[in-house]
Amino acid sequence: MRRKRPQPVPPASEQSSDAELLRAIAAGQTAALRLLHHRHAGWLRARLRRRCADPDVVDAAIQDTFVAVWKDAHRYEVTAADAAAWLWTIAVRRLLSALRGPAHRWLSGPAAELPDVATTPSAEELVLLGVEHGALGPALDRLSPELRHLIEATALDGLSVREAAKLLGIPEGTAKTRLMRARTRLRELLA
């Protein structure tokens, strides 16, 4: 069986679409990563700042996001969803990882090394932990991608229906209908 040769990727330019930039990044073009960062870092930073007041944590999440893009650009699949939605998903998860910090990682030292500070997780942290470790995560995985992306954008990322529709490149009316279907389906799956 003969393998197909990978198609050569043209050099990235300002006119390249996000999908073309991601293909170029997957091919190792650092200029494409620079262009993608220039195009998206500003709005990602603004949105993450709405979720975290610490600019250092936000900057670390942005940096981690584009490191992840560099490593995993080959995983991006061109679909009806915009590449921006894919970037947003990575950025939100990187922010949550940064917010969790070392206190949420497995500990290797004795408990005496831990500071004596009582903390209560926020409602958002509890929901997101439920997504990762509770019944909601598997239920979300069973939704179609179009419904899952909309639930993630509105319920998990805190976007309005209008913002989510714009981010996902669909009409607002379509977003409202899909959101209604997604909520109904989640209720069925979680019942």
Side-chain angles (χ1 to χ4, degrees):
M1 185 159 132
R2 295 178 65 190
R3 287 187 177 181
K4 290 183 180 180
R5 285 188 194 176
Q7 295 291 329
V9 178
S13 71
E14 290 283 339
Q15 290 74 37
S16 299
S17 70
D18 289 342
E20 291 168 336
L21 289 177
L22 286 165
R23 270 194 302 278
I25 292 167
Q29 293 183 25
T30 56
L33 182 65
R34 227 176 273 114
L35 285 168
L36 193 73
H37 182 275
H38 180 73
R39 200 176 281 178
H40 292 283
W43 73 263
L44 284 170
R45 183 171 285 107
R47 290 218 180 268
L48 292 177
R49 285 295 309 260
R50 293 166 101 183
R51 285 151 182 78
C52 176
D54 186 340
D56 293 333
V57 172
V58 170
D59 287 342
I62 295 289
Q63 181 177 350
D64 289 349
T65 297
F66 285 95
V67 168
V69 167
W70 177 254
K71 291 178 179 177
D72 296 326
H74 65 279
R75 293 183 180 192
Y76 174 71
E77 296 177 19
V78 180
T79 61
D82 190 17
W86 187 70
L87 288 170
W88 176 245
T89 302
I90 295 169
V92 166
R93 290 177 185 206
R94 298 301 172 173
L95 178 66
L96 290 173
S97 293
L99 288 172
R100 288 180 184 135
H104 289 11
R105 292 188 179 92
W106 289 105
L107 303 174
S108 59
E113 295 176 10
L114 295 175
D116 186 22
V117 178
T119 59
T120 304
S122 70
E124 184 179 47
E125 287 176 317
L126 291 174
V127 168
L128 292 169
L129 286 171
V131 168
E132 289 183 24
H133 305 292
L136 186 56
L140 280 172
D141 289 340
R142 293 183 59 196
L143 291 177
S144 68
E146 63 193 19
L147 299 181
R148 184 176 59 250
H149 292 310
L150 200 54
I151 284 287
E152 288 172 347
T154 56
L156 299 180
D157 299 339
L159 300 179
S160 69
V161 174
R162 176 176 286 142
E163 291 170 326
K166 186 174 182 182
L167 182 69
L168 297 172
I170 58 175
E172 188 176 347
T174 302
K176 288 178 181 178
T177 303
R178 286 182 185 172
L179 190 56
M180 183 180 66
R181 285 180 27 220
R183 287 177 177 154
T184 301
R185 182 73 178 122
L186 277 176
R187 278 188 210 103
E188 292 169 357
L189 292 169
L190 292 171

